[in-house]
């Protein structure tokens, strides 16, 4: 079956999360978690679903960008695409006229991610496998044929990538079985958004400990005294054995980041996440160097816009935890490149998640990382945030602070049609009724 | 007069340049030079005009992004904006929901540039001065109040910036007079686009030499043998004393760039422009180091997306020529930051130009650089491309290979309404008639 693509449609779907300060941090004080939601229709009747994540305003711009890319996709068959997936990736990211808008960054790359996520979903469905299993079952040569090595060959060649994947075949079967049994370890960000009250923090933390969570992330960066109070509170609640991470969401300049985090060192955070501008590789390197003696690592990646940036973060020892994002990088294709480079530099990958659907997607990638690339769980964990899962047809399953393996075919990003309809912006009931108020 | 902003309108204006291979290079084989054209209307009747440059397809996405930003601008007065221009810049670039789409990169930053260019145009018109003169007449404190120093304080503080500007006051008057007399030195890219035939090259080169041009840029990167032939031809035409630059438009990986350019070293290019991915700071540093013994510098910047990237290029000695862009960086505000950082690192600024309107805009910035910042013309020159100027109300004036000083009030980006109407996409005559063919 060829599965020829008949149409690529996109919708602007927004959730009014800002009303309750879910997702609030030092730079994003009132996000309305949103997606550009892509549906691919084929002549076989099989569909592919994809998303990219946004924070509300401007989602319509991403929708427009998806529409512009759709012209490059409609008429092609799934067969054609996956038989030269590298070429197809290049087609979308290097269009002679549209690459000026990026290249491979910002709105146009978010749109590329949405479209390619839908293509991967379609591919996995056509094989009746969850995406992680599709990847795990692919040969090393097939995997690398999906990666565009342009601009990264000084750090990772196609041959090296194949070698890494060949080597990881040892013990693959056992790791897959282990994952099926235990799931992949997670940490929670749901307890300590910046906009929550102390009472809320205490309550959520107590509940989380009861549910088996051992790793907690706290948002910081707006006010130092406030951060000290909140970190002390959380550290007291979770005790010295559990893990604490802090996240500044790009709030500081380089010098400020070093002094601020030094003031929070007594609470023993494992990492400081996004201490400064996501583009500042050399800045992150300076911060990493300064914080290393305190035992605090630097984590970043959710706004690291492509493989070339990740390459440099690794080259410059500018991060100690790689936080891939399923919707900002160019889908699975570009994430594969980053997983392989991180492995080469022996830096653990701890995916960014949360938002809408990011947990659903990224679990597939980190499972592939463990089973087929890194073969290690040391210092590794996947972010988890516990809202908006109810809008997906195959929501993540968390048990005892682990991601349980997704079993449904695809990339887990199909949304309930009823949810999409209600939340479509601006015509869905949720928004129409809000505006009428 | 407050000049309260009543509306911000945007139009998608495209020129069918791909039909004659103007602007063709190794990565952009068929650009249709285009702009998102912004007009600000105020209650005083005064208008501001701004553009950002694009390559055709996708301009409609930038238009959409301008519309999204317009909501932050309408209702404000020019007075309000310029009395806290740093705050206004931050408002546009750090909107809590929209910054996810960048931040400060890609489509949303191109749109920011277009809007802010129109605001600067409005400001200069309200003072009845060409933009360069508005800048030259501002006090150092006023200049720095327009710059967002976030994320660059590790390299340049506000105090240092003031100091640089104070120091450059010496001889300012003479430099301004010199510029009024002589104009600013330019080089030409019009002779050697990649899609041109040898005959075309020869003819254009002969004409350019006759008109006084001494500095020539050649597009390379598609085919080595072809590049050797073309560089030999141009070097023969211009002789050993004139200056040759080569431009690969991001065609190579790091290793490839070094070996390719080494093969062209015999033609003595002053610089290799955009040898690889515009995001690859460390890659450019490696290339710079390898080519230094050959006397070839690295130039880049037209796709360097913000001040934080330029900061690192300078920190890493990754470029020897800073090519600012008037429409990719966040307008004059962010360009001021880059000019000051370049001066601190003693790296000459040679602006990117061409496209539609880029010459018109960037001449103002490089004049300010000479008169008020660098005070030097050594190794400095501004790109010039000789098409599409006829669509502007105050087109650039070139005499004896120098930019003559613009005298009309504003930022020189007002377009002829008749040109806009004819080229509006897709409804303008130029496109409608093309499609009917």
């Amino acid at each position: 079956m060829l599965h020829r693509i008949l149409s690529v449609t996109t919708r602007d779907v927004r959730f009014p999360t800002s009303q309750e300060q879910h997702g609030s941090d030092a730079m994003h004080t009132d996000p309305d978690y949103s997606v550009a939601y892509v549906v691919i229709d084929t002549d076989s009747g099989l569909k592919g679903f994809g998303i990219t994540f946004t924070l509300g305003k401007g989602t319509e711009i991403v929708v427009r960008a998806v529409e512009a890319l759709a012209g490059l996709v409609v008429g092609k068959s799934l067969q054609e695409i996956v038989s030269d997936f590298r070429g197809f990736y290049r087609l979308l990211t290097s269009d002679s006229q549209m690459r000026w808008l990026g290249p491979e960054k910002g709105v146009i790359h978010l749109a590329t991610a949405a479209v390619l996520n839908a293509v991967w979903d379609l591919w996995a469905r056509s094989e009746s496998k969850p995406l992680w299993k599709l990847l795990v079952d692919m040969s090393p040569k097939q995997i690398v044929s999906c990666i565009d090595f342009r601009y990264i060959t000084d750090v990772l060649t196609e041959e090296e990538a194949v070698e890494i994947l060949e080597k990881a075949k040892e013990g693959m079967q056992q790791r897959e079985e282990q994952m099926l049994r235990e799931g992949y370890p997670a940490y929670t960000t749901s307890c300590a958004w910046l906009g929550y009250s102390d009472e809320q923090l205490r309550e959520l933390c107590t509940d989380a400990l009861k549910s088996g969570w051992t790793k907690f992330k706290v948002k910081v960066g707006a006010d130092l005294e406030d951060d000290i109070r909140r970190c002390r509170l959380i550290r007291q609640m979770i005790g010295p054995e559990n893990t604490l991470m802090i996240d500044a969401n790009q709030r500081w300049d380089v010098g400020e980041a070093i002094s601020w985090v030094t003031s929070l060192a007594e609470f023993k955070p494992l990492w400081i996440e996004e201490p400064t501008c996501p583009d500042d590789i050399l800045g992150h390197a300076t911060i990493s160097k300064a914080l290393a003696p305190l035992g605090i690592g630097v984590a970043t990646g959710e706004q690291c816009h492509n493989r070339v940036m990740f390459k440099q973060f690794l080259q410059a020892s500018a991060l100690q935890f790689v936080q891939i994002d399923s919707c900002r990088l160019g889908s699975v294709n570009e994430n594969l490149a980053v997983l392989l480079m991180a492995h080469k530099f022996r830096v653990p990958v701890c995916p960014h998640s949360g938002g809408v659907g990011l947990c659903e997607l990224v679990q597939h990638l980190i499972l592939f990382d463990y089973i087929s690339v890194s073969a290690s769980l040391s210092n590794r964990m996947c972010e988890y945030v516990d809202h908006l899962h109810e809008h997906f047809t195959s929501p993540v399953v968390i048990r005892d602070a682990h991601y349980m393996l997704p079993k449904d075919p695809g990339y887990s990003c199909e949304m309930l049609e009823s949810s999409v309809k209600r939340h479509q912006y601006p015509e869905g009931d949720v928004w129409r009724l809000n505006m009428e108020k």
Side-chain angles (χ1 to χ4, degrees), chain A:
Chain A
M1 198 103 75
L2 291 174
H3 308 295
R4 191 163 300 280
I5 294 172
L6 301 177
S7 68
V8 176
T9 55
T10 330
R11 286 185 284 175
D12 180 339
V13 184
R14 306 188 190 187
F15 299 88
T17 45
S18 62
Q19 289 170 8
E20 291 175 6
Q21 294 273 292
H22 302 316
S24 57
D25 65 49
M27 294 292 269
H28 311 93
T29 47
D30 58 349
D32 283 327
Y33 281 177
S34 307
V35 292
Y37 182 56
V38 174
V39 181
I40 290 179
D41 278 289
T42 68
D43 61 359
S44 68
L46 196 68
K47 288 172 191 278
F49 302 88
I51 59 166
T52 193
F53 173 59
T54 52
L55 296 188
K57 265 197 283 178
T59 308
E60 76 281 8
I61 308 169
V62 182
V63 165
R64 205 60 188 271
V66 171
E67 287 164 1
L69 291 174
L72 303 170
V73 180
V74 171
K76 294 221 167 357
S77 73
L78 177 65
Q79 208 50 44
E80 240 177 287
I81 291 171
V82 304
S83 69
D84 177 23
F85 215 152
R86 180 185 300 165
F88 184 72
Y89 181 89
R90 185 77 71 91
L91 179 78
L92 259 57
T93 54
S94 296
D95 177 86
S96 166
Q97 298 194 350
M98 281 195 283
R99 73 185 298 284
W100 188 265
L101 306 179
E104 296 183 76
K105 62 177 67 70
V107 166
I108 197 78
H109 211 45
L110 292 169
T112 301
V115 171
L116 288 175
N117 282 341
V119 170
W120 278 97
D121 183 64
L122 182 68
W123 191 6
R125 283 167 192 264
S126 80
E127 303 276 335
S128 305
K129 290 177 183 179
L131 180 94
W132 68 266
K133 182 64 173 159
L134 173 75
L135 291 173
V136 162
D137 289 350
M138 277 162 75
S139 74
K141 277 207 187 305
Q142 265 187 301
I143 291 284
V144 301
S145 78
C146 301
I147 299 173
D148 188 352
F149 285 87
R150 175 175 271 182
Y151 301 141
I152 59 170
T153 54
D154 52 329
V155 151
L156 184 78
T157 63
E158 198 171 332
E159 296 68 38
E160 283 176 288
V162 168
E163 213 172 286
I164 289 170
L165 292 163
E166 287 290 353
K167 216 169 149 193
K169 279 188 172 169
E170 202 192 311
M172 225 171 113
Q173 187 59 35
Q174 293 92 307
R175 288 194 295 278
E176 186 174 332
E177 284 161 15
Q178 178 200 357
M179 284 294 108
L180 281 162
R181 255 185 346 259
E182 302 170 9
Y184 194 90
Y187 73 86
T188 178
T189 308
S190 291
C191 298
W193 295 106
L194 210 55
Y196 285 3
S197 70
D198 283 10
E199 199 178 335
Q200 255 176 312
L201 295 186
R202 242 181 242 114
E203 211 170 287
L204 288 165
C205 215
T206 308
D207 288 353
L209 285 163
K210 273 189 206 147
S211 310
W213 293 95
T214 59
K215 304 178 182 88
F216 300 81
K217 194 160 79 186
V218 179
K219 296 283 178 178
V220 298
D223 177 87
L224 180 57
E225 287 314 305
D226 191 51
D227 288 350
I228 291 174
R229 202 191 73 250
R230 292 153 43 82
C231 285
R232 176 164 295 138
L233 188 145
I234 301 280
R235 182 46 95 189
Q236 278 169 354
M237 299 282 304
I238 68 175
E241 294 307 315
N242 285 324
T243 304
L244 177 75
M245 287 88 74
I246 55 176
D247 183 356
N249 291 88
Q250 314 168 20
R251 185 58 186 252
W252 306 309
D253 281 20
V254 174
E256 199 182 6
I258 294 168
S259 68
W260 196 303
V261 177
T262 302
S263 303
L264 299 175
E266 60 172 306
F267 307 112
K268 305 269 175 225
L270 174 67
W271 76 49
I272 170 65
E273 182 170 331
E274 290 205 303
T276 188
C277 176
D279 296 339
D280 198 351
I281 299 150
L282 300 180
H284 280 82
T286 303
I287 297 167
S288 289
K289 214 171 161 187
L291 297 180
L294 300 173
I296 304 170
V298 168
T300 192
E302 70 184 73
Q303 295 200 17
C304 184
H305 56 262
N306 61 35
R307 67 194 176 286
V308 183
M309 295 300 286
F310 270 115
K311 177 185 80 165
Q312 295 174 84
F313 271 99
L314 290 163
Q315 286 176 300
S317 305
L319 43 55
Q320 288 70 52
F321 300 90
V322 166
Q323 300 184 301
I324 55 167
D325 186 286
S326 55
C327 290
R328 188 172 291 274
L329 289 177
S331 186
V332 178
N333 312 70
E334 197 165 32
N335 269 293
L336 290 171
V338 176
L339 294 179
L340 288 160
M341 288 193 289
H343 179 71
K344 187 173 167 186
F345 282 90
R346 303 284 155 190
V347 176
V349 176
C350 299
H352 170 243
S353 196
V356 189
L358 298 181
C359 298
E360 275 68 19
L361 273 76
V362 88
Q363 59 180 338
H364 292 272
L365 303 177
I366 198 62
L367 282 168
F368 172 74
D369 180 63
Y370 177 61
I371 298 170
S372 300
V373 182
S374 74
S376 168
L377 292 177
S378 162
N379 260 328
R380 285 163 172 89
M381 48 189 158
C382 188
E383 183 169 20
Y384 177 68
V385 181
D386 73 353
H387 52 238
L388 305 174
H389 303 291
E390 65 275 21
H391 303 293
F392 289 82
T393 60
S394 302
V396 288
V397 178
I398 295 286
R399 205 170 298 150
D400 200 23
H402 283 69
Y403 277 89
M404 294 295 108
L405 265 60
K407 290 181 178 144
D408 293 339
Y411 198 4
S412 309
C413 39
E414 183 181 356
M415 298 178 82
L416 296 172
E417 187 52 32
S418 56
S419 289
V420 173
K421 277 215 178 99
R422 262 177 66 73
H423 293 91
Q424 230 176 303
Y425 185 87
E427 65 276 30
D429 277 357
V430 164
W431 294 104
R432 210 167 33 78
L433 299 177
N434 252 320
M435 286 169 201
E436 282 167 9
K437 267 181 210 163

